[in-house]
Amino acid sequence: MAEAELSSKVRRAGQMLLYQRHRVPGVKGYELRRSLGKGYMRIIKILRAQLENIGLTIKIMPESDSPVNEDNEEELSSARFFVVLKDPLSLYDASTAGWSIDDLSGLAVVLSTIISRRGKAPRREVERILKEKFPDWKADMFIERYIRRGYISMDDNNNLILDWRSRGELDLQKLLQYVLGAGISEASPQSDKFETQSK
Amino acid sequence: MQDDQAAVEASEALEVVDRIIQLCIDADSGRADPFAFDVKAQLEKLRSLLSLWKTTSQLSKDVEAVYRIALLIRLQEEVVKHRSSLLYTDPLLVELKILASDPRELATAFLRAWRPIVALQQVNLELLRLAYGYWSNLRRLRLDQYDTSMLPSKLGIEQLKAMGVLSDEIPSKVLEEMHQELVAKCGDGMVNYWEFVSQGDFASTVKRAVLVSFLVTLGYAELEIEPLENRIWLKPKKPPGIPEAAEKKSLVVSIKA
């Protein structure tokens, strides 16, 4: 592939991934293949390297819970590709992006409760735990907000389950680990970043 | 006398079966521990009661109990899998930890595992230009000047025949020509359904849509739908044919005059 063609495809892939075209951000593998042609994973890998220079990266979320094989484009056709932050946000950055400490801790409570109960928890149970720390109106508002933003959804039996955004944005295993270890070490997101870099 | 005794025994046995069903439902809905249910003992109990069942309703109760036990075994399997996975943590432990931590600590824990999605939602000049073009071409809609003849109405088969859209028999030559046209336009790829069907005037568009529906029904072409983007793609089938295990589906296409 000529260099000019390659860089034009990398630019196009960047636009596709960053510009929100559907209700859910990102694009599916088959859309990338249609626009960039066969061998689109090569373009994605180049773009990922470029994005990592500015603190972003590309995440691939498979349709099922199976692990991602980045070399198999056929398998990836139904997977969703999107851009995420490479490093964690600090509390200050999150608050300037519109997330209060209560918002974040409420989401941590809701998600870790759901994960610890095999991915499904009755809404009343989750509300009961939230109401231990927050007023009733706030607990209800949080749950509605998390549903609206795609972190959780509700099934027919009033159970809360994880939704697409939780699977896309969070390392669920680490979340549980960090919640269980909350307050034990004073490790902040910033120190976590240094930990990763030193490795 | 013996009949009465048998009836009493059967009614007591039915209560036992009801209790087994209720225990399974409780475990399934999370109100009871699935491992507190002794599957082997309950199945033995059901087997010992089997000779008492005489009517269809009693037998169906027995079948329901066996079905519920099968579901419970599946639930036990899921629980074992979850407990052996890396995501397993005792729910009570998590709850106690949550209640013992202050919101700031929980928010910090959350941030460490969180990598938010980055996406842009803004209008660019090109989109504005397209939107302006669309707005300029929109027909003015004033309710007080609204021509009632423009309201949606039904077209009967006779009217469609008069317009030349329908005929008693569609000549196979017309279909063949359309198939050839589709193959020429698509090559190995696909063509946008609306680009292919739209022919300027309303009658021709409807006629082509009807012919395309015949092509698809007869297995000469297939439709691919992208529901999120509301796009329909049309592609010729090589070789034409309808697979035996084909899924039958209807697609409603709305055509505006």
Side-chain angles (χ1 to χ4, degrees):
Chain A
M1 200 183 298
E3 201 175 323
E5 190 188 351
L6 189 69
S7 66
S8 139
K9 283 191 175 180
V10 171
R11 275 204 302 277
R12 203 186 316 151
Q15 286 170 1
M16 285 178 79
L17 286 171
L18 283 165
Y19 194 75
Q20 187 168 339
R21 296 138 54 93
H22 315 299
R23 190 182 63 86
V24 177
V27 281
K28 292 266 191 173
Y30 71 85
E31 292 175 280
L32 287 169
R33 189 189 159 122
R34 187 175 292 156
S35 176
L36 307 171
K38 269 186 187 171
Y40 66 86
M41 270 314 291
R42 190 179 156 215
I43 315 283
I44 294 297
K45 282 174 185 169
I46 296 171
L47 178 64
R48 180 186 279 158
Q50 292 184 0
L51 286 173
E52 283 183 357
N53 290 331
I54 54 166
L56 305 174
T57 189
I58 295 171
K59 182 157 181 182
I60 304 171
M61 185 170 73
E63 206 166 40
S64 60
D65 289 334
S66 54
V68 178
N69 175 8
E70 293 198 0
D71 297 323
N72 190 338
E73 288 187 4
E74 284 301 316
E75 266 182 34
L76 291 174
S77 65
S78 58
R80 184 167 287 281
F81 292 64
F82 45 77
V83 178
V84 294
L85 294 191
K86 187 167 176 274
D87 303 309
L89 284 173
S90 66
L91 260 182
Y92 175 78
D93 289 339
S95 64
T96 52
W99 287 85
S100 69
I101 290 179
D102 282 0
D103 273 334
L104 294 166
S105 60
L107 189 49
V109 169
V110 171
L111 294 180
S112 47
T113 304
I114 294 173
I115 300 164
S116 68
R117 291 168 196 235
R118 288 185 292 125
K120 189 164 78 173
R123 179 173 175 151
R124 266 191 312 179
E125 264 304 284
V126 178
E127 279 177 349
R128 180 185 62 77
I129 299 174
L130 278 175
K131 285 172 185 173
E132 297 276 344
K133 296 266 172 108
F134 301 121
D136 291 8
W137 64 268
K138 211 171 199 181
D140 292 339
M141 186 189 73
F142 278 168
I143 289 182
E144 288 304 323
R145 185 181 290 168
Y146 304 146
I147 290 176
R148 224 173 27 250
R149 290 184 178 173
Y151 285 100
I152 50 172
S153 58
M154 204 157 67
D155 69 9
D156 297 337
N157 301 319
N158 263 6
N159 288 314
L160 295 177
I161 49 178
L162 300 178
D163 208 353
W164 64 271
R165 200 181 275 276
S166 296
R167 285 184 284 122
E169 294 188 347
L170 280 145
D171 185 330
L172 300 173
Q173 195 190 325
K174 279 190 178 165
L175 174 68
L176 259 191
Q177 203 180 311
Y178 294 146
V179 165
L180 288 174
I184 290 174
S185 70
E186 283 305 311
S188 67
Q190 209 55 37
S191 63
D192 197 43
K193 181 178 163 187
F194 291 134
E195 217 173 84
T196 318
Q197 281 172 347
S198 62
K199 282 173 197 168
Chain B
M1 191 70 180
Q2 274 183 343
D3 282 354
D4 285 352
Q5 197 180 346
V8 171
E9 270 182 29
S11 120
E12 281 171 3
L14 272 179
E15 280 176 22
V16 172
V17 177
D18 280 337
R19 270 203 300 276
I20 292 176
I21 293 172
Q22 193 52 48
L23 280 172
C24 292
I25 292 172
D26 286 350
D28 192 43
S29 58
R31 288 195 292 270
D33 179 6
F35 291 101
F37 186 91
D38 187 344
V39 173
K40 200 175 170 191
Q42 301 301 338
L43 281 173
E44 287 291 343
K45 202 179 277 177
L46 284 178
R47 184 191 283 175
S48 67
L49 297 174
L50 194 59
S51 58
L52 296 174
W53 310 140
K54 304 285 183 228
T55 64
T56 319
S57 68
Q58 288 171 336
L59 282 166
S60 63
K61 204 68 158 175
D62 180 64
V63 170
E64 190 191 345
V66 174
Y67 170 69
R68 293 279 175 192
I69 291 176
L71 290 181
L72 186 103
I73 294 169
R74 193 181 66 181
L75 178 69
Q76 287 181 341
E77 188 189 334
E78 280 174 15
V79 173
V80 169
K81 267 189 196 165
H82 177 70
R83 286 188 183 175
S84 60
S85 79
L86 292 168
L87 284 174
Y88 176 69
T89 317
D90 187 351
L92 190 64
L93 182 67
V94 174
E95 190 178 329
L96 289 174
K97 186 68 206 177
I98 286 169
L99 296 179
S101 309
D102 79 70
R104 194 182 182 85
E105 288 166 351
L106 288 172
T108 310
F110 177 79
L111 285 173
R112 291 176 71 189
W114 188 45
R115 303 289 182 277
I117 292 175
V118 179
L120 290 169
Q121 275 183 310
Q122 68 178 58
V123 175
N124 56 23
L125 273 178
E126 176 60 14
L127 274 178
L128 274 178
R129 192 187 62 76
L130 284 172
Y132 180 73
Y134 172 76
W135 169 254
S136 309
N137 291 327
L138 263 185
R139 195 180 293 168
R140 195 170 280 205
L141 182 65
R142 289 273 301 272
L143 288 178
D144 51 345
Q145 293 171 6
Y146 206 80
D147 181 1
T148 47
S149 65
M150 298 287 287
L151 287 170
S153 59
K154 281 185 185 170
L155 286 177
I157 289 179
E158 292 308 320
Q159 285 163 293
L160 287 169
K161 278 183 187 172
M163 285 167 69
V165 172
L166 282 185
S167 62
D168 290 329
E169 213 177 278
I170 293 191
S172 58
K173 198 183 161 198
V174 180
L175 282 175
E176 269 172 31
E177 281 172 3
M178 178 159 269
H179 183 238
Q180 293 300 330
E181 188 192 336
L182 181 62
V183 171
K185 272 202 176 161
C186 293
D188 287 325
M190 299 186 280
V191 66
N192 186 295
Y193 174 84
W194 289 112
E195 273 175 28
F196 185 74
V197 162
S198 302
Q199 283 288 305
D201 66 305
F202 179 62
S204 315
T205 304
V206 175
K207 190 172 181 177
R208 284 175 72 81
V210 171
L211 289 173
V212 165
S213 77
F214 273 97
L215 281 183
V216 173
T217 309
L218 296 171
Y220 284 89
E222 56 186 346
L223 292 171
E224 200 173 307
I225 301 157
E226 287 179 21
L228 280 177
E229 296 192 23
N230 199 17
R231 279 197 296 216
I232 308 172
W233 299 94
L234 185 63
K235 64 176 177 186
K237 267 185 137 178
K238 289 173 195 169
I242 305 167
E244 275 179 20
E247 188 189 356
K248 285 180 183 170
K249 264 188 179 174
S250 298
L251 175 70
V252 178
V253 176
S254 156
I255 301 174
K256 287 179 189 155

